[in-house]
Amino acid sequence: MKNPLGKLLTRLDRYIIGKFIGTYIYSIVLIISISIVFDFNENMAKFATYHAPWRAIIFDYYANFVPYFANLFSPLFVFIAVIFFTSKLAGNSEIIAMLACGTSFRRLMRPYMLSAALIAALNFYLGAYIIPHGNVVRQNFETLYKNKKKNTSASNVQLQVGPGIIAYLQQYDNNTKRGYGFSLDKFENKKLVSHMTANVAQYDTIADERYHWKLINYKIRTLKGLREKIETGQELDTLIMMEPMDLVFSKGQQETFTSPELKRYISKQQERGSVNVVQYEVEYHKRIATSFASFILTVIGASLSSRKRKGGMGLYLGIGLALSFTYILLQTISATFAINAGWPAWLAAWLPNIIYVFIAYFCYRQAPN
C-alpha cells in the first residue's frame, strides 16, 4: 500500500524536514543539557541547605524545568537549527544543486514552512495546555527549596464581586485562606442599600461549591429609605463571588494557568474593574505570538544561510544568534512597557513579530534565485 504522504511530500521535502526536525531536537538537547549543568551547579548549595530530596529535584524541578525553557526559547532553537543545517547544505553545494534542477527558492521553502508549522503547533499546545500544570509543581518546589517565597498575603483589597457589589478586605492571609476586616457593600442606582461587615472571612476549601465563605462576628445593615434594619450574628455561611486567587498575586502566577483558564480569569477580572490583569493578557497573547515566530525566524534563517560563501557557517550563526537574542530582548522590553507604561497587551506580545516580519521579507528578497 502506498504512503498517502508520498503524493504530498517529495523526497526533497522529506529530506529537508528530517534535517530540520533532527537538528532542532539536537539543539534543544545540547543547550538544555548545558543549562541543567549550570543551574544545578548554581543551586546545589540551596538544595543541600533546604534538604531537597533527589526525587523532587529530578521529577518536580528538572522534569518541568526542561519543557518550560525548551518551549520558552523555542524561537532561538528554530533559528539555530535552520542556520546550522542550511549552511551545511549550502556548503556541500546541495542548495545549488536543488536550484539548478529547476526548483525555485520559493518551492524550496515549502518543507521549511511545514516543519515550522509542526513546531509552532507543538509549542502552542504545550505552552497553552501542558506546561502550565508543570509550572505549578516547579514553582512549589522553588518555594520550598530555593528560598523563592511566594506572596501569600494582601492588604486593603477591594474588588467588584457582582453588579453594584463591592467587597473589601483589610488583611488577607492565603496560607490560612482567612481575611480580616471584611465588608460588603451593595449599591442600587448609585445608592447604598446594604452594608455588611465581619471581623473574619474564612474561605471554605472543602465545600462542594466555589465561592463559599464563612463570616464570623458579622453585622448586616439594610437601608430602605429612611429606615434601617440591623442584623448581627456569630457565623454566617454565604456565597461571595470571589476566591483566594482573586486576592493574592504572586510572581509568575500567570504561567500556571492554561490558556482557557487565562481567558476566563481575564474576563472575570475585567468585569470587576480590576487593573491587575495586564501581565495575564500579555501571557495569553505571547503564547500565540511566540508560535508564529517559528515561521518568521525560519524564513530569516533559511534566507541568510542558503547562499554558499567562504568562511562556512560561522558568520550566519553569529547573525542568527544576534537576531534571536534581539527578538527575545524585544519581547521582554515590550512586555515591561505593557505592564508599566500602559501599552496594549496584544501590541506588547506581537510587536517583535511585526518588526521581524519586515526583516524576514527583506532577507527573503535577498535570497538566491
Side-chain angles (χ1 to χ4, degrees), residues 46-246:
K46 292 182 179 179
F47 294 158
T49 301
Y50 292 99
H51 307 289
W54 280 105
R55 182 180 179 84
I57 294 173
I58 296 171
F59 294 104
D60 291 349
Y61 183 62
Y62 284 111
N64 296 299
F65 172 95
V66 171
Y68 171 74
F69 282 98
N71 198 68
L72 180 66
F73 295 110
S74 181
L76 174 62
F77 298 135
V78 168
F79 214 169
I80 291 175
V82 172
I83 292 285
F84 187 81
F85 87 86
T86 305
S87 296
K88 290 198 69 175
L89 293 180
N92 295 332
S93 301
E94 293 179 71
I95 298 291
I96 295 175
M98 296 173 190
L99 298 176
C101 292
T103 303
S104 65
F105 188 74
R106 181 178 179 181
R107 169 63 182 84
L108 189 63
M109 288 299 298
R110 189 172 79 175
Y112 283 90
M113 291 294 99
L114 289 174
S115 302
L118 179 63
I119 293 172
L122 180 62
N123 287 339
F124 176 76
Y125 178 75
L126 291 175
Y129 297 98
I130 305 300
I131 292 177
H133 298 296
N135 286 340
V136 175
V137 178
R138 180 176 58 84
Q139 289 183 11
N140 289 337
F141 175 92
E142 291 177 344
T143 302
L144 291 172
Y145 303 115
K146 287 186 65 178
N147 200 26
K148 285 189 175 182
K149 295 183 178 180
K150 286 185 177 180
N151 183 23
T152 59
S153 63
S155 59
N156 297 321
V157 180
Q158 180 174 301
L159 68 160
Q160 182 173 310
V161 296
I165 303 175
I166 307 298
Y168 172 80
L169 278 168
Q170 188 175 8
Q171 291 288 337
Y172 176 75
D173 184 356
N174 198 48
N175 291 325
T176 60
K177 302 293 187 293
R178 174 173 289 197
Y180 304 91
F182 173 78
S183 68
L184 187 71
D185 295 328
K186 183 177 181 181
F187 295 86
E188 291 182 1
N189 298 322
K190 299 183 180 180
K191 292 183 179 181
L192 181 67
V193 297
S194 176
H195 176 67
M196 176 192 293
T197 59
N199 291 342
V200 177
Q202 177 69 57
Y203 186 72
D204 193 343
T205 57
I206 61 174
D208 295 332
E209 52 191 354
R210 296 166 62 191
Y211 312 120
H212 192 272
W213 292 83
K214 179 180 288 187
L215 305 181
I216 302 174
N217 294 330
Y218 69 92
K219 178 191 289 187
I220 302 175
R221 295 175 57 203
T222 305
L223 306 173
K224 292 184 179 180
L226 297 178
R227 292 186 175 184
E228 180 180 12
K229 179 183 177 182
I230 299 178
E231 177 187 348
T232 60
Q234 291 295 320
E235 290 188 1
L236 176 66
D237 291 333
T238 183
L239 293 177
I240 304 172
M241 299 300 289
M242 66 178 186
E243 50 191 336
M245 64 182 297
D246 301 326

Side-chain angles (χ1 to χ4, degrees), residues 79 82-83 86-87 90 95 105-106 108-109 112-113 295-309 316 319 323 357 359-369:
F79 214 169
V82 172
I83 292 285
T86 305
S87 296
I95 298 291
F105 188 74
R106 181 178 179 181
L108 189 63
M109 288 299 298
Y112 283 90
M113 291 294 99
F295 296 99
I296 299 171
L297 298 179
T298 295
V299 173
I300 297 175
S303 301
L304 284 175
S305 57
S306 57
R307 190 185 299 273
K308 183 177 181 179
R309 288 191 177 95
Y316 304 115
I319 295 174
L323 287 172
V357 160
I359 298 176
Y361 178 75
F362 174 79
C363 294
Y364 180 77
R365 295 292 295 178
Q366 300 299 316
N369 297 313

